[in-house]
Amino acid sequence: MPDHDPSAADASEIARSARRKVAWHILPLLFLLYIIAYLDRANVGFAKLKMQSDLQFSETVFGVGIALFFIGYIFLEIPGALLVECWSARKWFARILVTWGFCSMAMALVKTENQFYVARFMLGLAEAGFFPGVIVYFSHWFPRKDRARAMSAMLIGVPMSLALGARVSGVLLEQTWFDLKGWQWVFIVEGAPAVLLGIAVPFLLPDRPRNAKWLTPDERDWLNETLETERRVAAAVVPVTLKQVFGMWNVWVLALALLTTNIGGYVFVFWLATVVKGLLSSTGGAADDTAVLLWTGLVYLCGVVGVVVSGWSSDRTGDRKGHCMLGQLGAALFLTISMVPGQPWALVFAWLCVTGFFANFWFSPFWVLPTMTLTASAAAVAIGTINMCGNVAGAIGSPIVGVIKDECTRFNLKEESFAALHTEKVPDTTVLRLRPLKDVEFRSQKDFVREISKVLGQEETEKFQTVILKHSDFSFGDRVSMGFVAVTFIIGSVLVSMVRLPRTKNDPKSQGSGVRTDGTGIGFHPEGV
């Protein structure tokens, strides 16, 4: 009968207890912060539904403003991570939360294009360093084998924040408290939690295990020793230079694949609500902003399912490359089908939901590919390079889509529009006077409204402008811009197909990666998603 080693059993119990406590004390708060962070960068896409008509901003203006966030973000991304390592995570996170919360709330004060540009750029600067800082912070708390699980939990927060944000924004857009517009309340209400949590974080989030009162002395000792051992092992690895990394085929292919796919992915995040509004109008559906954001939120909710399913499936089969390509091609295919004219809204919405599923299906397996195909030291440098390309993509796609929509959008009134105007209780005489404009196309909303003013007069136009615009058909620009998104996904899948996988006799579920992904399919999760 084998001897029982009570000390080994005790050590194992201490390890389990420490890991469990760290997960429960650290992850929920950081998950909440990430949801707020992603919502505060993306809620401009929800507010745009009313903000655009109130401020008379073109689509190009919105595209440039969205891009400026990423320019500011990239500028301070790396310094922020260094401050977490060398200074204090909780103090740095508190600074970030308070400043980005105020910057987000300041969006409610925007009146001109330049103010919009400055506000978006400052929001990017304020939020920069948060997610890279989280990655560094996790290295202070989670042993390597637990880090993938922790990062995967954060990953699910992306589509979840968009789904929740769309629903909340739909309610806020209808409010006019204290004579402020609904879009102003979107920024104020959704920016305020960041400020409040920024004040609370220094009291809720310890910097390192030695500061955690909820760990016992034995648990702190085990955690510190484990993390220190891992740091010594990492330090012993021969470093790889940037020159060597840039000479590797897979680094370039993966960087370009993420760049192209994220160009479309970020457009899908920021412009989906606008596209849904255009498609609802063109199919005769109710295109009020509350309904638009309800439908939009459901599409994003399908993305949560996509993240979970892709991680589970790619772990079960060990196939990362195929799952990544399936997600990219699936998103391109079903997005293209959803843009085909003449379909009822129920069918269009079904295609969009499947698109939302696949648009979030690809990136879990994608981030295992660098760890599978590169050495540990090379992967560390390469992942930072690849991730930077993912964030650069955010500054490219939206300006292009803004120009596409401005150049390709056509405003007109179709037969269905007049039927819808009757249901909105627009007087029959007004509808009759608008009849001469049936099927006449206008290149911009400004030209369209100007022509309506000639027909109805200024006073009547101001009275019914919102409802007329709501039921006009302006979906052609949306269809072209989503076609552009589909192309970026296809190019990304082609580039992923060019990744060279290692030949290995190891367990097929890891494909030689040495990465345990715990059912999420991800070994490391940078922010370029």
Side-chain angles (χ1 to χ4, degrees):
M1 188 171 179
D3 292 333
H4 176 66
D5 184 358
S7 62
D10 291 344
S12 178
E13 179 57 34
I14 289 171
R16 280 196 298 270
S17 176
R19 292 164 63 195
R20 183 171 59 250
K21 285 183 179 180
V22 167
W24 280 107
H25 283 83
I26 300 297
L27 278 180
L29 178 57
L30 288 178
F31 181 75
L32 176 62
L33 297 183
Y34 191 44
I35 285 180
I36 293 171
Y38 215 90
L39 177 58
D40 282 347
R41 77 166 63 173
N43 60 6
V44 67
F46 308 143
K48 175 179 180 290
L49 297 178
K50 286 191 181 297
M51 186 180 185
Q52 183 171 21
S53 58
D54 283 350
L55 301 182
Q56 293 295 299
F57 287 173
S58 69
E59 303 286 357
T60 301
V61 168
F62 270 96
V64 172
I66 290 169
L68 284 170
F69 168 89
F70 289 95
I71 293 173
Y73 190 94
I74 293 167
F75 189 69
L76 286 182
E77 184 175 16
I78 294 175
L82 293 175
L83 281 169
V84 171
E85 180 65 41
C86 303
W87 184 43
S88 165
R90 61 193 180 92
K91 293 176 182 177
W92 181 242
F93 289 160
R95 195 287 304 164
I96 289 176
L97 283 160
V98 171
T99 53
W100 107 45
F102 279 124
C103 286
S104 180
M105 295 168 72
M107 288 285 295
L109 304 176
V110 166
K111 289 184 172 59
T112 67
E113 295 176 8
N114 288 335
Q115 290 174 355
F116 179 60
Y117 293 154
V118 171
R120 288 296 297 179
F121 180 76
M122 293 303 296
L123 180 61
L125 283 178
E127 193 181 319
F130 173 69
F131 197 83
V134 168
I135 294 172
V136 174
Y137 185 69
F138 277 175
S139 72
H140 297 166
W141 286 93
F142 293 94
R144 188 176 301 277
K145 65 180 180 180
D146 294 335
R147 221 166 290 159
R149 184 178 288 108
M151 297 309 303
S152 300
M154 301 288 283
L155 177 67
I156 297 172
V158 175
M160 187 174 291
S161 70
L162 296 171
L164 292 173
R167 189 70 189 96
V168 172
S169 298
V171 174
L172 292 174
L173 280 177
E174 301 304 316
Q175 309 309 317
T176 56
W177 302 317
F178 303 106
D179 292 327
L180 294 175
K181 303 292 182 66
W183 62 266
Q184 293 174 301
W185 282 114
V186 167
F187 293 120
I188 293 170
V189 172
E190 294 176 5
V195 176
L196 297 177
L197 284 169
I199 296 170
V201 155
F203 305 99
L204 300 176
L205 207 63
D207 282 321
R208 293 181 185 265
R210 63 175 177 267
N211 308 120
K213 296 179 180 179
W214 35 265
L215 288 174
T216 67
D218 287 342
E219 289 167 347
R220 275 196 293 269
D221 291 342
W222 174 85
L223 191 55
N224 283 324
E225 183 179 339
T226 301
L227 294 171
E228 183 58 35
T229 299
E230 290 183 353
R231 277 192 283 270
R232 284 197 298 267
V233 171
V237 176
V238 178
V240 176
T241 65
L242 279 175
K243 182 178 179 181
Q244 291 173 307
V245 168
F246 289 148
M248 297 176 182
W249 168 266
N250 279 350
V251 173
W252 284 105
V253 171
L254 289 169
L256 290 173
L258 185 63
L259 176 69
T260 53
T261 309
N262 262 14
I263 286 174
Y266 275 123
V267 168
F268 192 74
V269 167
F270 286 104
W271 297 83
L272 180 60
T274 300
V275 170
V276 167
K277 187 177 182 71
L279 293 174
L280 268 171
S281 297
S282 66
T283 56
D288 61 278
D289 296 328
T290 302
V292 166
L293 290 178
L294 175 62
W295 294 117
T296 302
L298 292 174
V299 174
Y300 289 135
L301 196 60
C302 292
V304 177
V305 180
V307 173
V308 175
V309 171
S310 69
W312 171 81
S313 178
S314 65
D315 266 1
R316 185 177 62 85
T317 62
D319 174 30
R320 315 299 182 188
K321 184 174 172 179
H323 277 71
C324 181
M325 293 174 60
L326 175 64
Q328 292 164 314
L329 291 174
L333 173 64
F334 289 103
L335 183 60
T336 301
I337 294 174
S338 70
M339 295 298 118
V340 175
Q343 301 179 85
W345 168 248
L347 190 56
V348 171
F349 176 67
W351 297 134
L352 286 175
C353 284
V354 181
T355 302
F357 174 88
F358 281 112
N360 291 273
F361 189 92
W362 65 273
F363 49 75
S364 289
F366 175 89
W367 282 111
V368 182
L369 291 174
T371 58
M372 286 174 54
T373 59
L374 301 168
T375 64
S377 56
V381 180
I383 284 171
T385 304
I386 296 167
N387 185 50
M388 185 69 74
C389 289
N391 284 324
V392 168
I396 297 175
S398 288
I400 294 174
V401 167
V403 172
I404 288 174
K405 284 180 61 62
D406 276 337
E407 292 300 318
C408 297
T409 296
R410 301 290 184 271
F411 288 82
N412 59 46
L413 292 170
K414 294 186 176 297
E415 188 61 43
E416 298 86 352
S417 305
F418 292 102
L421 290 176
H422 282 296
T423 64
E424 294 275 6
K425 298 182 180 180
V426 176
D428 291 342
T429 54
T430 300
V431 176
L432 188 62
R433 289 159 64 194
L434 290 171
R435 277 282 173 181
L437 299 181
K438 180 176 177 291
D439 294 328
V440 178
E441 292 191 342
F442 298 90
R443 287 183 58 87
S444 69
Q445 178 177 320
K446 188 178 293 186
D447 292 339
F448 185 46
V449 172
R450 185 185 299 118
E451 195 63 30
I452 292 173
S453 297
K454 291 180 182 178
V455 174
L456 300 181
Q458 188 64 33
E459 183 177 344
E460 200 167 0
T461 298
E462 291 177 357
K463 184 177 181 181
F464 296 112
Q465 174 180 330
T466 301
V467 69
I468 293 171
L469 285 173
K470 183 169 73 173
H471 294 294
S472 62
D473 181 13
F474 49 91
S475 62
F476 180 68
D478 295 319
R479 299 181 198 278
V480 175
S481 60
M482 291 301 102
F484 164 74
V485 170
V487 169
T488 66
F489 277 116
I490 292 171
I491 295 173
S493 71
V494 171
L495 288 164
V496 169
S497 72
M498 298 165 66
V499 173
R500 296 170 181 169
L501 296 178
R503 297 180 184 274
T504 178
K505 294 182 180 179
N506 289 353
D507 180 1
K509 285 195 175 186
S510 68
Q511 290 191 358
S513 67
V515 177
R516 178 177 178 84
T517 60
D518 80 307
T520 57
I522 188 164
F524 180 82
H525 168 226
E527 195 179 14
V529 298

